[in-house]
Amino acid sequence: MGKITGFMEFERIEEGYRPAEERVKHYKEFVIGLTDEQAKVQGARCMDCGTPFCNSGCPVNNIIPDFNDLVFRQDWADAFTVLDSTNNFPEFTGRICPAPCEAACVLNVNNDAVGIKSIEHAIIDRAWEMGLVTPRVAKIRTGKKVAVVGSGPAGMAAAQQLARVGHDVTLFEKNDRIGGLLRYGIPDFKMEKSHIDRRVEQMKAEGVTFRTGVMIGKLPEGTKVTNWAKETIAPDELVKQFDAVVLTGGAEQSRDLPVPGRDLDGIHFAMEFLPQQNKVNAGDKVKGQISAAGKHVIVIGGGDTGSDCVGTSNRHGAASVTQFELMPQPPEHENKPLTWPYWPYKLRSSSSHEEGCDREFAIATKEFISEGKGGKVTGLKTVRVEWKDGKMHEVAGSEQVLKADLVLLAMGFVSPVASVLDGFGVDKDARGNAKASTEFTGGYATNVPKVFAAGDIRRGQSLVVWAIREGRQAARSVDEYLMGFSDLPR
């Protein structure tokens, strides 16, 4: 370890933000990363624990104490080698992962956790600057063909791993650009899309073929989605053409709110609203773009997607932004002895909240209201709720009407698009996800021969870091299936 007493000498250093009044005027990233000296100090705080819980707290099992020590020694090249050995895309996770590793940090028991995410961010940014991120082209080609369906982080990770061991990989994406929710769900101010683009170029050099605008299977009638493909390939045809198929299409079916007035104009899913702005940022023209400019916006859903709607609405120039959360307000500080090393229950405020947002907790929407003609939403009828014995109860006499010109539904995702799984004949679990185990032998294989599933399409709505993990592990299982063994990491 770099400095034995570092955790007692140095305080946690947070990455900085550009001023809110400045950053709401654009869609560029605004996080101020650590300087080399700040990163060194953060690395010095790592205690190199006998049992590093951060490793297991991280879904991709990053070897965190090792790269912390290397950053302390300012050995950026070896730090990148260690980080790259477990995580295909640290520039994604270093920007948008909520950092469960930090919750599991042993120093977090009675102090502030080591700034692991900021160190990871620093390592990968230095690696790109130093030219350390280069294609890793397989020396031997296997002649095996693999189709990966869905180009989010799970699909990208699976495709890259499989290409690196010599398989001919084709990555299919229904949208016009690669990246899945990274491309069209995460706002540019949280992660600029140039990070995806340069990984695509690296993967092309490694032998991955990208086919955008291609839908595998048919969409159910009435599905509300954006950027759908211009070409369709039948699932059985794909299975015939390839030696293995990996389904990594995500969990895209948004949770709805079926209350009176739901059909009024001005009520949209978050995933109708957010992708449009990302397309505009990319230089596309979007006819009839949903705009929050000058409107009173209510975002229903207190998670990250809701926060992204808040930040985007503020950049549009909304008159006001209010975010609803059905659950009661969490405590500002977690009960560490009770929760460590697991993900703590506490109040979390994002950079978007700091830019301007009223937050309402323990509130439910009873009805969408339209005053006058035109069928446009003008308000919401709400009621306060309380939780007793695990059940929600409305608080008598707490009903009120709040003004709203635009309502964004950001209550999470319930399942994958069913038609894709149905088209392949893949069995589903009770929640509508692809049914596939994660056992080391035959892991991620579905009931259909040659067909595997990984990421949110298998586990349900989750984190980018879980998607990368599942993509990597599924790649190993596919490699074992095709070759009888695999040198890929688990």
Side-chain angles (χ1 to χ4, degrees):
M1 63 191 296
K3 189 171 179 58
I4 295 175
T5 57
F7 69 95
M8 295 187 293
E9 296 178 29
F10 304 117
E11 298 296 323
R12 177 183 170 100
I13 302 173
E14 299 284 355
E15 292 182 311
Y17 293 154
R18 300 290 180 192
E21 60 272 15
E22 172 190 320
R23 65 187 192 241
V24 295
K25 296 177 181 177
H26 60 76
Y27 293 88
K28 299 292 185 182
E29 290 180 12
F30 52 80
V31 172
I32 303 171
L34 302 181
T35 65
D36 286 5
E37 184 59 31
Q38 288 174 328
K40 179 177 180 178
V41 169
Q42 282 299 284
R45 296 186 71 237
C46 179
M47 297 187 291
D48 195 19
C49 310
T51 303
F53 285 86
C54 56
N55 286 14
S56 55
C58 171
V60 294
N61 302 119
N62 280 336
I63 311 168
I64 294 165
D66 291 35
F67 68 59
N68 283 344
D69 177 62
L70 290 164
V71 168
F72 172 77
R73 300 177 190 280
Q74 297 289 277
D75 185 349
W76 294 102
D78 283 347
F80 168 67
T81 298
V82 172
L83 178 57
D84 184 61
S85 70
T86 58
N87 187 351
N88 294 65
F89 312 116
E91 61 270 48
F92 302 166
T93 54
R95 286 170 167 80
I96 61 174
C97 178
C101 56
E102 294 186 13
C105 174
V106 174
L107 188 56
N108 192 45
V109 171
N110 61 355
N111 203 324
D112 292 327
V114 174
I116 301 167
K117 179 179 176 179
S118 63
I119 292 174
E120 180 179 352
H121 187 180
I123 292 170
I124 188 59
D125 281 5
R126 303 303 189 284
W128 279 106
E129 291 167 7
M130 296 167 67
L132 301 175
V133 187
T134 57
R136 286 160 48 186
V137 182
K139 295 180 181 179
I140 299 174
R141 308 304 302 179
T142 66
K144 301 291 186 180
K145 297 169 59 180
V146 182
V148 180
V149 181
S151 72
M156 289 181 70
Q160 185 169 61
Q161 293 293 93
L162 288 165
R164 286 176 172 177
V165 291
H167 302 307
D168 295 326
V169 182
T170 302
L171 184 54
F172 293 90
E173 170 58 52
K174 68 181 181 300
N175 292 325
D176 55 356
R177 295 181 178 92
I178 297 296
L181 283 186
L182 292 174
R183 175 72 67 176
Y184 286 126
I186 303 296
D188 289 41
F189 57 79
K190 287 177 67 174
M191 193 188 84
E192 293 177 18
K193 306 319 172 201
S194 58
H195 302 298
I196 304 173
D197 295 337
R198 61 185 177 184
R199 282 295 183 178
V200 168
E201 293 306 310
Q202 179 197 30
M203 292 170 65
K204 284 180 179 177
E206 292 171 339
V208 177
T209 299
F210 292 90
R211 291 188 60 185
T212 57
V214 180
M215 179 67 193
I216 308 301
K218 293 184 179 180
L219 288 175
E221 194 171 330
T223 299
K224 287 189 175 182
V225 286
T226 57
N227 309 325
W228 283 118
K230 297 179 175 64
E231 179 184 352
T232 301
I233 298 178
D236 58 349
E237 190 63 31
L238 202 70
V239 173
K240 289 178 185 177
Q241 293 178 12
F242 290 86
D243 298 298
V245 176
V246 189
L247 304 180
T248 58
E252 296 185 279
Q253 198 65 45
S254 298
R255 180 175 282 107
D256 207 345
L257 185 58
V259 299
R262 172 61 181 89
D263 57 345
L264 293 173
D265 289 341
I267 304 169
H268 304 275
F269 288 118
M271 289 308 299
E272 295 176 81
F273 175 68
L274 296 173
Q276 290 186 352
Q277 185 58 55
N278 285 7
K279 288 184 71 65
V280 170
N281 294 343
D284 296 349
K285 293 183 179 180
V286 177
K287 186 177 180 180
Q289 181 186 0
I290 302 166
S291 175
K295 295 179 180 177
H296 297 280
V297 180
I298 291 184
V299 179
I300 301 179
D304 288 340
T305 304
S307 172
D308 294 342
C309 290
V310 170
T312 302
S313 296
N314 280 326
R315 282 160 179 76
H316 281 192
S320 68
V321 183
T322 305
Q323 185 177 20
F324 284 4
E325 170 56 60
L326 190 63
M327 302 300 291
Q329 181 171 333
E332 290 192 14
H333 301 285
E334 73 268 36
N335 185 336
K336 289 186 176 181
L338 179 66
T339 60
W340 180 89
Y342 302 108
W343 188 245
Y345 176 66
K346 67 176 183 180
L347 180 65
R348 304 175 191 279
S349 296
S350 71
S351 58
S352 293
H353 294 137
E354 296 170 4
E355 293 163 3
C357 174
D358 293 325
R359 302 172 75 181
E360 298 284 351
F361 293 89
I363 189 170
T365 301
K366 297 276 288 181
E367 182 182 354
F368 297 111
I369 296 172
S370 176
E371 295 179 356
K373 298 180 180 180
K376 295 184 178 180
V377 66
T378 58
L380 280 72
K381 182 181 292 185
T382 67
V383 64
R384 296 290 171 176
V385 297
E386 57 184 3
W387 296 81
K388 295 179 181 178
D389 301 323
K391 296 181 179 180
M392 185 182 76
H393 301 273
E394 295 183 1
V395 177
S398 65
E399 287 192 0
Q400 59 179 331
V401 174
L402 299 180
K403 182 176 178 59
D405 306 307
L406 175 64
V407 178
L408 301 172
L409 306 180
M411 301 173 293
F413 304 89
V414 293
S415 65
V417 176
S419 63
V420 175
L421 298 180
D422 292 341
F424 282 93
V426 170
D427 287 345
K428 291 177 279 189
D429 63 18
R431 305 188 68 167
N433 303 316
K435 193 173 183 180
S437 73
T438 57
E439 298 296 327
F440 284 143
T441 302
Y444 299 91
T446 70
N447 61 298
V448 181
K450 303 202 304 186
V451 179
F452 297 74
D456 288 6
I457 200 170
R458 189 203 69 83
R459 66 179 290 114
Q461 174 187 324
S462 191
L463 306 176
V464 60
V465 70
W466 272 109
I468 294 172
R469 172 197 173 100
E470 294 219 347
R472 287 171 61 90
Q473 290 188 329
R476 178 185 171 91
S477 290
V478 171
D479 191 34
E480 285 180 330
Y481 168 76
L482 294 174
M483 308 302 294
F485 70 96
S486 180
D487 291 327
L488 288 170
R490 294 192 186 277

